[in-house]
Structure formats: structure tokens, C-alpha cells
């Protein structure tokens, strides 16, 4: 009879305390694995040196993109 009471106590404790913690942990893991990339930006290559730059930060001129104003000037002067 004592073993039965012990097993009932273990089962009660597991369902009351351990199971909710485990379920919360599993939900957190699942949520972190499913979160998609929220924001991506297009990259362009500098026409002078070939370095990739975010399109919003690149300097555009005549359909070409540059990583800096100096590279734009060098490319346009032929240097």
C-alpha cells in the first residue's frame, strides 16, 4: 500500500509541477525555431572595388553603385 501511495505522489508531483514547466520549455523552443527573418535588405556590388554594400547605403550614379564617394569619383575620372 505504501508503494502505491508513493507512486501516486510522484505522478501527482510530475503532472502538477514538472509537466507545465516542460510544456512551456517546448513551446519556447518551437517558437524560436519558427521565427522567420523579419527584415532583409538588397545588396549591391561596388563598381570600383567589388565590395558588397546595402543598397540603401550605396552611392548610385548612372546605374552603377559605389561603396564610397571616393570610389565613385575615381571610377568616373578613370583613375
Amino acid at each position: 500500500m505504501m508503494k502505491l501511495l508513493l507512486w501516486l505522489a510522484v505522478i501527482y508531483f510530475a503532472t502538477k509541477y514538472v509537466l507545465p514547466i516542460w510544456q512551456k520549455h517546448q513551446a519556447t523552443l518551437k517558437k524560436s525555431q519558427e521565427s522567420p527573418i523579419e527584415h532583409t535588405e538588397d545588396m549591391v556590388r561596388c563598381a570600383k572595388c567589388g565590395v558588397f554594400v546595402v543598397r540603401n547605403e550605396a552611392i548610385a550614379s548612372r546605374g552603377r553603385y559605389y561603396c564610397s564617394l571616393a570610389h565613385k569619383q575615381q571610377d568616373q575620372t578613370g583613375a
Side-chain angles (χ1 to χ4, degrees):
M1 184 71 175
M2 195 63 158
K3 286 183 180 181
L4 178 63
L5 289 176
L6 179 63
W7 279 109
L8 288 175
V10 168
I11 292 170
Y12 174 77
F13 178 79
T15 57
K16 183 77 174 176
Y17 300 105
V18 177
L19 189 60
I21 293 171
W22 177 258
Q23 289 172 340
K24 185 176 180 181
H25 176 69
Q26 290 299 319
T28 304
L29 287 176
K30 185 177 180 183
K31 184 178 179 183
S32 67
Q33 291 173 349
E34 291 178 355
S35 60
I37 297 174
E38 295 179 9
H39 181 70
T40 59
E41 295 187 35
D42 292 333
M43 302 288 285
V44 292
R45 186 184 290 262
C46 175
K48 181 69 177 169
C49 67
V51 170
F52 283 97
V53 183
V54 177
R55 185 185 302 262
N56 295 344
E57 297 175 6
I59 299 169
S61 176
R62 300 181 191 158
R64 299 178 79 175
Y65 294 96
Y66 301 94
C67 63
S68 66
L69 187 57
H71 279 186
K72 175 187 167 194
Q73 292 171 346
Q74 288 174 2
D75 195 43
Q76 290 178 349
T77 60

